[in-house]
Amino acid sequence: MISKMISRASLLALVLAAPVAAQDIQVQELGSLDPLEVNVAERPLANDMWRNSSAATARAALQALPGPDDDAYGSMAVADFAGRVLLSGGTPPEGGRGDEALAVLRAERVLAATGPIAAYALLERTPGLERLPALARWHAELGFALGETAAACRTTNGLIDGRNQPYWLRARAACHAINGEAAAAELSADLASAAEPDRDFDTLLYAVTIGQWNDPDVSIDTGLELALARIASGEDQPELDLSDAPGWLTEVAETTAEPVELPGEIGAAMTYAETLEGAERRSAWDQLIRQDYDRLTAGLALGHALADAASENRFIPVARRYGGQIDTIPVTAATLDHGHRFVLAALAAGDRQTAIRWRRALDDGPPRRSRPAPATIDDLIDKGPDNGPSMEPVISEADEPEWAPPAPRLLVALDLAIAVAQNQIGRESMVALTGARLEAGAEGVGDVAMLALMGAPVSPDWRVALLETEPQASPALLGMAAASASGAHAETALFAAAALQDGLEGAAPGTLMQVVSALDRAGLSDAARDLLLARIIEETA
């Protein structure tokens, strides 16, 4: 695949040679693309994102962010923001072209911020991995873990530098085993064991090649071992232990596991799902949300899934995954119990019309049911016995309780989120919204502080509330301010993410103000607005 892409790039360069020379623009073949120039972001930063940065300052900005072995981000919204920057490709900083360690640092930060699928996509598009063993190892590890074994084996077999290290010998052994080449697999594994023994890998390999488990205690801590575990067989197969595995690998193992088996009757399935925990519970909700048989039950399952996600600090990614389903959920008293989360999830997924519809339903309540009017003697006389009684519907209110909308503070937060999503920050009604939002306490002050720096009309009272909040300092703020003053856009954004990595909800208003100001100076006012919307969503969920 890579060779074909290089060939097409070369041909394109020949076709465009004359006009390119006239414009003094330099065209490079794909093979000469630096890893930092690879872009897989949906909304990338500009190609000159590393302008005014050096390899040393870029390294410092990347190291300020969590890596795959560090504590996770306190806010998925901040992780998303960091991912947007990290997945953007640009001309490397001064002294950074060809710096594999810098490219590895970026890939590891991508993994920590956006997860294994995005990190794999970045490395899958990175050319020249055969001479970059550290990057190649991440590509192979993620490929093996995600079930992309053909790509992982392509990198394994194509490696030029460092191919006789124990990891790569075992990777080749796994590729032989996957292809049914037992003798070659065992030979490569023996060579690896001679240099560096690994009992767990050998147990898994022989469970594949001869279908026999020689040790009941198997610990999995690499993507390579997870790939073998998926195809291992034989009697007395043990329960695999992932307690020593990195967090990203455990997540992959859970999400790629077989779906939990639910009862056939949908009501029983819903009841059973409520008794589950962890990955099984998430699997059950997923099946119930995606089924088309009963959308009311799907809505209740989605409500539970969003509530679970909010309690586990996963609301934003779960909302984006299922936000497109909300338009199909019927508005009833039962589903309106989850209505505020449906508004937020629809906004997170970019469906503003559905968010507005559910917001109105929170005011109006569920549609009232109708029933046929009772037949009377006059009906029968007027219409005759063959025509049947009148069936004009009448509204039934007696059996339905009076609708009580959610608390005003919650509705204000939803209205604010919708206004931000619609980019209506400058409208005059924002004064009333922000005034009401201040009543929410510290988080409300933070929201209003961000809005004020984005140009929203706000009540002067917010400045009094601001002075009453606790100050909060972060070393990353110094790096952000210096980078912003120097016009180093990527560094500014990365230090902003580092300053907020503990979470948006707990961030002090002063910190939020500095972040908004720095991002605006770096030309990333849209990213600042995204952070504000995500902060309101996470707070309100």
Side-chain angles (χ1 to χ4, degrees):
M1 175 63 75
I2 293 295
S3 62
K4 291 181 181 178
M5 294 174 72
I6 294 173
S7 175
R8 290 173 183 171
S10 303
L11 180 60
L12 183 61
L14 288 173
V15 172
L16 299 179
V20 165
Q23 298 173 32
D24 195 27
I25 298 175
Q26 189 176 24
V27 176
Q28 296 177 325
E29 293 186 2
L30 181 60
S32 64
L33 194 70
D34 188 87
L36 291 182
E37 294 177 292
V38 177
N39 167 59
V40 291
E42 291 185 6
R43 294 182 300 143
L45 272 63
N47 188 62
D48 65 348
M49 57 185 282
W50 292 111
R51 178 169 54 89
N52 298 325
S53 295
S54 68
T57 60
R59 183 173 290 106
L62 289 166
Q63 288 175 334
L65 296 174
D69 297 325
D70 299 325
D71 291 338
Y73 285 83
S75 165
M76 291 303 300
V78 177
D80 277 357
F81 169 68
R84 176 187 174 187
V85 182
L86 293 164
L87 292 169
S88 298
T91 302
E94 182 181 355
R97 183 173 292 279
D99 188 336
E100 185 185 4
L102 195 61
V104 169
L105 195 57
R106 175 204 186 190
E108 290 176 344
R109 267 50 190 175
V110 167
L111 177 59
T114 63
I117 294 176
Y120 172 77
L122 173 69
L123 294 171
E124 177 69 3
R125 296 190 185 184
T126 301
L129 289 179
E130 67 276 3
R131 295 191 180 277
L132 301 169
L135 272 183
R137 177 160 178 169
W138 270 118
H139 176 261
E141 267 292 276
L142 293 167
F144 282 125
L146 293 169
E148 300 289 343
T149 53
C153 289
R154 181 190 70 226
T155 293
T156 297
N157 295 323
L159 192 69
I160 296 173
D161 298 338
R163 63 182 284 110
N164 290 324
Q165 295 297 316
Y167 176 84
W168 293 113
L169 288 169
R170 290 193 171 94
R172 288 201 293 279
C175 292
H176 285 307
I178 290 168
N179 291 331
E181 301 161 351
E186 292 169 8
L187 176 59
S188 292
D190 289 343
L191 291 172
S193 293
E196 182 182 274
D198 188 330
R199 178 183 56 81
D200 292 320
F201 177 85
D202 290 342
T203 296
L204 289 162
L205 182 75
Y206 288 112
V208 174
T209 57
I210 63 176
Q212 179 177 330
W213 293 86
N214 57 22
D215 195 319
D217 183 18
V218 180
S219 177
I220 292 178
D221 56 14
T222 67
L224 186 58
E225 292 172 343
L226 182 60
L228 288 176
R230 288 196 184 102
I231 59 173
S233 60
E235 296 181 3
D236 302 322
Q237 182 170 351
E239 184 173 339
L240 304 175
D241 178 15
L242 281 91
S243 58
D244 293 330
W248 69 265
L249 186 61
T250 302
E251 177 187 341
V252 170
E254 287 184 355
T255 55
T256 57
E258 290 293 323
V260 65
E261 186 174 345
L262 295 175
E265 197 275 315
I266 199 161
M270 186 75 183
T271 302
Y272 178 65
E274 293 175 359
T275 68
L276 300 175
E277 295 181 355
E280 289 186 336
R281 183 177 174 93
R282 291 191 289 273
S283 173
W285 293 145
D286 181 77
Q287 294 177 64
L288 289 167
I289 292 167
R290 296 184 187 279
Q291 53 82 23
D292 293 326
Y293 175 71
D294 185 337
R295 297 311 293 162
L296 174 59
T297 298
L300 297 177
L302 177 53
H304 284 296
L306 291 173
D308 290 349
S311 67
E312 298 167 1
N313 192 30
R314 298 185 303 110
F315 187 85
I316 295 281
V318 174
R320 287 178 179 161
R321 184 183 310 154
Y322 298 119
Q325 303 274 345
I326 295 171
D327 185 47
T328 70
I329 303 302
V331 177
T332 69
T335 55
L336 274 177
D337 284 343
H338 308 283
H340 76 285
R341 293 195 176 96
F342 289 166
V343 173
L344 299 170
L347 289 176
D351 188 351
R352 298 169 191 167
Q353 292 305 313
T354 296
I356 292 170
R357 180 167 65 86
W358 276 90
R359 169 61 185 88
R360 288 173 179 162
L362 287 171
D363 272 338
D364 301 338
R368 290 180 296 179
R369 293 172 295 178
S370 62
R371 59 177 174 82
T376 66
I377 295 296
D378 291 338
D379 289 327
L380 295 175
I381 293 173
D382 292 341
K383 292 183 176 290
D386 294 334
N387 292 327
S390 168
M391 296 299 288
E392 290 295 322
V394 298
I395 300 300
S396 171
E397 298 180 352
D399 298 332
E400 297 186 13
E402 183 178 352
W403 174 249
R409 181 177 294 183
L410 175 59
L411 296 179
V412 165
L414 296 179
D415 290 339
L416 188 60
I418 290 172
V420 172
Q422 293 180 317
N423 198 14
Q424 295 179 344
I425 290 175
R427 69 184 189 183
E428 286 302 317
S429 60
M430 191 62 69
V431 175
L433 274 179
T434 54
R437 185 62 181 152
L438 287 175
E439 298 177 3
E443 65 268 22
V445 177
D447 296 338
V448 175
M450 296 178 76
L451 284 161
L453 263 72
M454 292 180 196
V458 299
S459 166
D461 293 342
W462 84 272
R463 295 196 296 274
V464 176
L466 175 66
L467 294 174
E468 295 173 350
T469 61
E470 291 291 329
Q472 185 183 66
S474 165
L477 291 175
L478 297 175
M480 180 187 70
S484 177
S486 302
H489 292 181
E491 286 182 34
T492 300
L494 293 177
F495 277 122
L500 297 172
Q501 66 179 275
D502 290 338
L504 281 172
E505 291 186 61
T511 296
L512 296 169
M513 292 171 64
Q514 293 179 67
V515 166
V516 169
S517 179
L519 292 178
D520 183 64
R521 188 170 183 175
L524 293 171
S525 56
D526 64 325
R529 190 170 61 252
D530 289 346
L531 281 174
L532 171 58
L533 176 59
R535 173 182 155 88
I536 297 171
I537 289 174
E538 288 186 337
E539 289 168 351
T540 311

